[in-house]
């Protein structure tokens, strides 16, 4: 049985007062909830880890540097993230690929740095609208998988999030058939590269405008093991129903 995961990416949103959302979410979770991960901005990682301690919520960062330490002003290493008590880190989010010109090979190095610090890497991939419109989606996904995923991937050290860029923060969601096609394709590629035993266990998340009213439909797909959620993860009143829909899927 693959584990189900609901991950929330707060992006550059949230101050100390937002930690009350974590407390509310923890108390709203059913006893056998799926794995829940909240990725707040870096300044909140330590306090979020303290707040979530003893609850079913895991804390993750939104990015890490590929080096352990050094002259990289403003960056944060995977070791530093682990030191806050966090257990996960997102790497290769499309906003970082775009705004920070991160390439597949950078993301591969970041995933390896995450593993070395004993963090689980949530590795993001996804096509742009022009790729989708030019019918190039699967080629783009294949290239990102080949370039961004390190050798040695397992279900313990990694989660993959498929996030079509045109669906992030736009309210546009691919059809269920489009989601199924890409998730099935990813599973096949993982099987070829890592073998069926490992590939079958790696959680694949869908991300892009997941909301309480569309989550149950998205979670119907066999190879969708959960979601990476942006906007709707900021309020526990929005995120809790998504987690419930995943628990019931
Ligand atoms: C994201 O940022 O990863 C994301 C999926 O955002 P949203 O849910 O707001 O589309």
């Amino acid at each position: 049985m693959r584990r189900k995961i609901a991950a929330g990416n707060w992006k550059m949103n949230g101050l100390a007062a937002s930690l009350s959302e974590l407390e509310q979410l923890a108390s709203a979770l059913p006893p056998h909830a799926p794995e829940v991960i909240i990725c707040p901005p870096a300044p909140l990682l330590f306090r979020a880890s303290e707040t979530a301690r003893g609850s079913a919520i895991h804390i993750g960062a939104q990015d890490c540097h590929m080096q352990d330490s050094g002259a990289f002003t403003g960056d944060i290493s995977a070791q530093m993230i682990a030191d806050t008590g966090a257990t996960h880190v997102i790497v290769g989010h499309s906003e970082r690929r775009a705004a920070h010109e991160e390439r597949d090979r950078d993301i591969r190095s970041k995933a390896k740095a995450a593993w070395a610090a004993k963090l689980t890497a949530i590795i993001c991939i996804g096509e742009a609208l022009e790729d989708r419109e030019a019918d190039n989606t699967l080629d783009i996904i294949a290239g990102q998988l080949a370039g961004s995923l390190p050798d040695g991937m397992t279900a313990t050290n990694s989660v993959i999030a498929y996030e079509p860029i045109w669906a992030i923060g736009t309210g546009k969601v691919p059809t269920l058939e489009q989601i199924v096609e890409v998730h099935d394709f990813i599973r096949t590629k993982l099987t070829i590269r890592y073998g069926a035993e490992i590939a079958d266990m790696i959680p694949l998340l869908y991300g892009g405008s997941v909301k309480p009213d569309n989550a149950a439909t998205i979670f119907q797909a066999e190879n969708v093991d959960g979601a990476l959620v942006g906007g709707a993860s900021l309020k526990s009143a929005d995120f809790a129903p998504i987690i419930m829909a995943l628990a019931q899927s």
Side-chain angles (χ1 to χ4, degrees):
M1 267 291 276
R2 272 193 303 275
R3 62 195 203 279
K4 295 177 179 179
I5 299 176
N9 173 14
W10 283 7
K11 310 192 187 194
M12 200 173 72
N13 296 294
L15 300 171
S18 316
L19 295 173
S20 64
E21 293 294 334
L22 267 188
E23 288 164 0
Q24 285 169 33
L25 187 64
S27 56
L29 293 180
H32 300 292
E35 196 171 309
V36 176
I37 307 160
I38 294 287
C39 302
L44 291 182
L45 282 174
F46 177 75
R47 274 180 289 184
S49 299
E50 293 292 301
T51 304
R53 191 190 295 272
S55 80
I57 301 175
H58 304 267
I59 301 300
Q62 299 172 14
D63 178 49
C64 67
H65 198 273
M66 58 272 276
Q67 303 289 339
D68 288 344
S69 60
F72 303 104
T73 302
D75 281 314
I76 300 171
S77 75
Q79 280 185 339
M80 292 170 183
I81 291 165
D83 198 39
T84 68
T87 49
H88 292 69
V89 60
I90 297 170
V91 295
H93 191 281
S94 60
E95 286 156 13
R96 291 207 60 91
R97 287 181 186 257
H100 298 266
E101 297 180 358
E102 292 189 3
R103 301 151 300 179
D104 286 330
R105 65 168 184 265
D106 302 321
I107 291 147
R108 191 168 68 237
S109 299
K110 289 178 178 211
K112 284 196 216 165
W115 297 353
K118 306 242 173 329
L119 298 173
T120 299
I122 302 171
I123 304 170
C124 300
I125 55 173
E127 83 284 3
L129 185 59
E130 57 267 31
D131 303 321
R132 170 65 64 180
E133 288 175 345
D135 215 7
N136 281 338
T137 299
L138 297 184
D139 287 344
I140 294 293
I141 296 299
Q144 291 176 338
L145 289 171
S148 306
L149 307 186
D151 292 334
M153 187 168 181
T154 69
T156 309
N157 65 26
S158 301
V159 172
I160 295 178
Y162 165 58
E163 301 203 298
I165 298 169
W166 50 276
I168 295 178
T170 59
K172 290 183 195 151
V173 181
T175 63
L176 191 59
E177 290 69 29
Q178 288 172 323
I179 294 174
V180 166
E181 181 188 37
V182 177
H183 279 246
D184 290 356
F185 180 77
I186 295 170
R187 186 79 63 203
T188 302
K189 287 287 180 191
L190 293 179
T191 304
I192 293 166
R193 182 156 170 198
Y194 301 103
E197 206 176 315
I198 290 174
D200 281 351
M201 297 306 289
I202 294 173
L204 303 186
L205 312 185
Y206 167 76
S209 296
V210 177
K211 306 287 176 204
D213 61 358
N214 61 18
T217 305
I218 293 167
F219 296 148
Q220 284 170 19
E222 191 194 322
N223 276 314
V224 174
D225 305 310
L228 178 55
V229 182
S233 71
L234 291 170
K235 295 275 169 220
S236 73
D238 294 327
F239 201 32
I242 294 173
I243 297 167
M244 299 300 175
L246 183 59
Q248 286 159 13
S249 67

